[in-house]
Amino acid sequence: MDSIKKLRDLIKEKNIADALKEDVRDDIGRRVCEDFNIDWKSREEAGWHETNKEVNELARQLNESKTCEGGEIVSNIKFPSIATAIIQFHARAYPAIIKGREVAKCAIIGNDPDGKKSKRGSRVSTVMNYQLTEEMDGWEEDMDKGLHILGLTGSIFKKTYRCPLDDKNKSPLVLAEDLVVNYWTTKLEDANRITHVLSYRPNEIEERIRSGVWLKHEYLSDDTDDKHNNNDDDRPRKYLEQHRWWDLDGDGYEEPYIITVHKDSEKVVQIIERFDIDSVLTNDKGEIYRIPPIDHFTHYWFMPSLDRPDEGSGIPLYGMGFGSLLSPITRAINSTLNQLIESGTMYTRGGGFIGDNVKFGRSGSLYFRMNEWKRVKFRGQKLADSIVPMPTREPSTVLFQLLGLMIDSSKELASMSDVLAGQNPGRDVPATTTMALIEQGLKVFSAVYKRIHKSIKSELKKLRRLNSLYMLDEDYLRILDDPELGAPEETNPQIICQREFSAADHDIVPISDEADITDVQKLTKAQALMELRGSGLPEKEIYRRYLEALRVSDIDKLIGQFQPPQDPKTEIEMKRLEIEEKRLVIEEKRLQQNLDKNIADAMLKGKELEDRLIEIVSNAVKNYAATAKSYADADKGGTEGKGAGKVDEYIDKVDEAVEMLPAYQKEVSNDEEGVRGMVEPPGGEMVQGADLPAPPIPEGGSTGAVLPGPGEPPLDAM
């Protein structure tokens, strides 16, 4: 624990160099400059500086005059194969990396049933997008420049740190020429030392001295610089900011520091720690055995270098770009093109030999204007015999074909087909074939974009760490304007930011998609998603991605109050169901009307039948009375007793029919047979019109009466 305490006391200083003796600082400054020269020389020996200079000249197409042996200026055209490749690469990469005002997005880790992770990640990505595009001056501009240079040299770097002067996060572009590591270093994180060559003007140096960031030192020395006039007192001075390991606490284990040295005087001006004290690991004895360093640099690389010094060595750190890939064939194209131009010039201008017998005057030569004839003096028969043109030939068709072959090869190497360049592939070429050509031509770019995507993710991770350490809740809430987060606390003004940016349940990743390079690819995928509407996928997100593929601005305003439209098939089916529902309502009303009418008709019919039954029974009683009288008369004729018995029997049946009358009134039936069934005695014979059994005929007598039909008056007594 003594080691930790000693180290903690050391890093309390704003500038650790203040706590060191001058002779110690001098030893450190001298060592820093020596190690820098070693790394610089390793790049020179590998030919890296020379190659970079050459590819820069080829890409810039500098207009350099070239003369032949006779002193005449000849063609020196440089074909723009490298420049075209760089421009094509940048045109595809830049819009894919920065989409409008968005650079980062949230990636949820694990399940998110209540949506809290998504909300937190969305807030963090919103703040970081605002920082990158609005607060961090020059970030987007540096990315724009960096992609051009990345395509040329193959490597660029971004330095993410907290500026002590204005107390802001910064992530400027660092060119590969200014970031020096040993050429055979394979990975930036594994480098023993990384030196950033910085240039500061005198006023900028004085700012750092007076603010206490740097030690006071003499900087108005005679620095040599081939880019600036040495007589200019305001010219920038060179400083070496070396990220390296050094044992300052004397425990035998080197700690990671950032040491800044004035290059010309080798004087140390600043030393700051490059680690978090809480991340230092110790053993059981309290000895430090590991200190994880904080990485400030992010490496963006186009493609890996093909250099290998010997067996067992890794791939060098510095990558390759179009400059290294295309420079050999570009030189051949330039040479062939200039030969064709010179050959055509010589063939067009002509020249030859003139005999001594032809006199052109004092000058000895003639120059012609259009439609002009000259007089000459000559001796001989024909002037043509004294003038012999120099034998020249038209530009070689073989060289011309070879030139076309080399240009096509350079396009293939740079993945610059005509289709990718926006040219029409042809009238008879199917769209599917064109899409396949685009996809195949972008295979090389897909690998490059994947590397860039990973580098941006690494840079965002560094920026997120800085926000968790330095960002104030007041600034965080000002950007979001979210009342759910509450107000900043006076006792801990960073509690919200520490919680939000340090959360491990989400990650911040680039908004770019390494799989979608062109707008055509994005739009094709978006259209495929549109066809999945109604399948259960979130339709709001489908529409958002479709609008993003169309590059529509202010998407949130368009889908803020989103109401997903009905699928045409579903809409037609709903319309059909609505019509069917209306038809059923109408049919129900019609049936109800018919039912009401039938009930009314039944009630009316029942009333009529009831009146009829009463009339029938009444008439039957009268008829039976008349019949009984006939039977009584028949009994007087010798059949005494028989007629009276029959009369009683039929009177009982009539009484039974009368008792059943209330039950019939409740039945309300249209069926006259039902009425008959209610009043018909078992086994009896129905009398026409009476609906009651006919009275029995007495023996030896006649009925004496006929039952009336319905509506007829009752019979009189016989």
Side-chain angles (χ1 to χ4, degrees), residues 77 81 91 119 121 156 184 207 223 248 310 326 331 478 502 522 548 579 652 660 672-673 683 690:
I77 293 177
S81 56
K119 290 181 179 179
I156 60 171
W184 303 111
E207 287 177 355
D223 292 2
L248 290 181
D310 50 39
L326 295 175
R331 286 194 297 268
R478 174 179 56 83
S502 301
K522 297 174 186 176
E548 287 177 351
I579 294 173
D652 291 339
M660 295 176 64
E672 292 185 11
E673 294 296 331

Side-chain angles (χ1 to χ4, degrees), residues 100-115:
R101 310 306 299 173
E102 295 183 346
V103 180
K105 64 181 179 181
C106 168
I108 301 301
I109 299 175
N111 296 325
D112 187 21
D114 54 1

Side-chain angles (χ1 to χ4, degrees), residues 310-321:
D310 50 39
E311 294 296 331
S313 299
I315 299 174
L317 172 70
Y318 296 102
M320 295 179 63

Side-chain angles (χ1 to χ4, degrees), residues 199-206 219 228 232 234-237:
S199 296
Y200 292 108
R201 298 189 179 276
N203 205 50
E204 296 173 330
I205 298 171
E206 198 64 33
Y219 56 86
H228 300 88
D232 184 6
D234 292 330
R235 67 184 182 278
R237 266 62 175 182

Side-chain angles (χ1 to χ4, degrees), residues 300-314:
Y300 289 75
W301 50 294
F302 188 83
M303 66 171 289
S305 173
L306 303 180
D307 288 341
R308 292 191 64 186
D310 50 39
E311 294 296 331
S313 299

Side-chain angles (χ1 to χ4, degrees), residues 441-508:
L442 291 173
K443 290 296 184 182
V444 176
F445 286 110
S446 298
V448 177
Y449 291 155
K450 192 173 185 67
R451 300 185 193 110
I452 296 175
H453 186 87
K454 293 176 64 177
S455 298
I456 297 176
K457 183 178 179 180
S458 178
E459 183 181 353
L460 293 175
K461 184 177 181 180
K462 296 179 178 67
L463 179 61
R464 183 181 177 186
R465 172 188 167 273
L466 293 177
N467 285 335
S468 67
L469 293 175
Y470 302 107
M471 192 170 193
L472 299 176
D473 295 345
E474 181 181 357
D475 296 331
Y476 187 73
L477 298 175
R478 174 179 56 83
I479 297 173
L480 292 175
D481 195 18
D482 189 349
E484 294 183 3
L485 296 175
E489 296 184 8
E490 295 183 1
T491 56
N492 188 354
Q494 291 183 278
I495 187 172
I496 297 177
C497 290
Q498 291 173 353
R499 182 179 65 246
E500 296 277 292
F501 287 100
S502 301
D505 55 10
H506 69 277
D507 198 4
I508 299 299

